[in-house]
Amino acid sequence: EIVMTQSPATLSVSPGERATLSCRASQSVSSNLAWYQQKPGQAPRLLIYGASTRATGIPARFSGSGSGTEFTLTISSLQSEDSAVYHCQQYYNWPPWTFGQGTKVEI
Amino acid sequence: EVQLVQSGGGLVQPGGSLRLSCVVSGFTVSSNYMNWVRLAPGKGLEWVAIVYSGGSTHHTDSVKGRFTISRDDSKNTLYLQMNSLRPEDTAVYYCARGGNRMAVAAIFDYWGQGTLVTVSS
């Protein structure tokens, strides 16, 4: 099973600042990496797949990068509605498909 | 418009059973790989089970032999039958749509609203 490790656990940033979230895989997942945003009381929402492709309707301030074992989600110019938990997920090796433990972004 | 509307869940004693339902609209449940994912308190998301477009299924090891994913194409509905429930199964359960081919089976682009399952005496 591939273990996904996210850092930091919590990130406190001010509006307008840039946030950088990290996700590390225990072995290479190539570019088979997705990011999800989850706000309190809501279901997760797909942000990024293929490590860097934004899902439909996702604002351009969200960007993903990386391949292999190291990945980054960058949120440029944070807005108040970006407060959420962000999950990374590998879909390279299954079963099972695995998620990180999440990074909480506080604004 | 794609929608996944969940029902079921609630409080159940250890060893008990529950069935979760997920009614989908805007697409046919048999055309995509359909999944259940859960979020336990204080933990990360965990993939639970998948039913492939061809009908075969796969479950994560911790629920094998206890949970069963299925679908009813005539009702366009996905199910998760949960038996022999344990306290560690306590979580919010989500149905989630995957892609329509294996390479993208686990890119979950639409999710249900979630339903809480609490296993406690």
Side-chain angles (χ1 to χ4, degrees):
Chain A
E1 173 177 327
I2 297 177
V3 177
M4 307 301 292
T5 302
Q6 292 185 242
S7 61
T10 304
L11 186 62
S12 297
V13 292
S14 300
E17 289 187 341
R18 173 189 297 258
T20 302
L21 288 66
S22 296
C23 177
R24 175 177 294 178
S26 60
Q27 64 188 76
S28 176
V29 299
S30 187
S31 295
N32 296 287
L33 192 285
W35 289 94
Y36 299 85
Q37 177 194 64
Q38 186 171 26
K39 297 180 179 180
Q42 296 185 17
R45 177 174 73 146
L46 177 66
L47 294 177
I48 301 283
Y49 62 93
S52 61
T53 302
R54 277 189 301 276
T56 303
I58 301 303
R61 66 180 183 274
F62 293 92
S63 63
S65 64
S67 66
T69 62
E70 301 285 341
F71 300 89
T72 299
L73 174 69
T74 301
I75 313 171
S76 63
S77 190
L78 273 154
Q79 301 183 12
S80 57
E81 62 262 34
D82 297 334
S83 290
V85 175
Y86 292 83
H87 307 272
C88 66
Q89 175 222 357
Q90 67 81 17
Y91 53 94
Y92 175 76
N93 191 12
W94 65 277
W97 295 284
T98 50
F99 294 84
Q101 76 277 22
T103 290
K104 183 177 183 179
V105 173
E106 299 177 333
I107 301 173
Chain B
E1 180 188 8
V2 172
Q3 286 191 322
L4 290 75
V5 179
Q6 297 181 223
S7 62
L11 175 63
V12 62
Q13 292 187 339
S17 298
L18 279 176
R19 188 178 81 160
L20 307 183
S21 300
C22 174
V23 178
V24 310
S25 56
F27 70 102
T28 56
V29 71
S30 60
S31 65
N32 286 71
Y33 291 13
M34 297 299 298
N35 299 265
W36 288 97
V37 177
R38 66 185 178 184
L39 182 63
K43 295 193 174 182
L45 291 167
E46 180 185 22
W47 170 79
V48 175
I50 185 171
V51 55
Y52 303 116
S53 51
S56 57
T57 64
H58 201 95
H59 301 76
T60 196
D61 284 348
S62 62
V63 309
K64 277 181 184 175
R66 302 188 299 121
F67 291 12
T68 303
I69 188 173
S70 64
R71 69 175 194 235
D72 185 331
D73 294 348
S74 67
K75 295 182 179 179
N76 221 26
T77 300
L78 178 73
Y79 300 101
L80 185 67
Q81 178 67 44
M82 303 185 293
N83 299 330
S84 302
L85 281 159
R86 305 167 180 169
E88 56 264 35
D89 297 317
T90 295
V92 176
Y93 285 74
Y94 299 95
C95 56
R97 189 181 83 163
N100 56 10
R101 52 190 174 88
M102 197 59 226
V104 293
I107 299 177
F108 306 130
D109 60 350
Y110 286 94
W111 297 65
Q113 80 276 19
T115 187
L116 177 62
V117 172
T118 303
V119 184
S120 176
S121 54

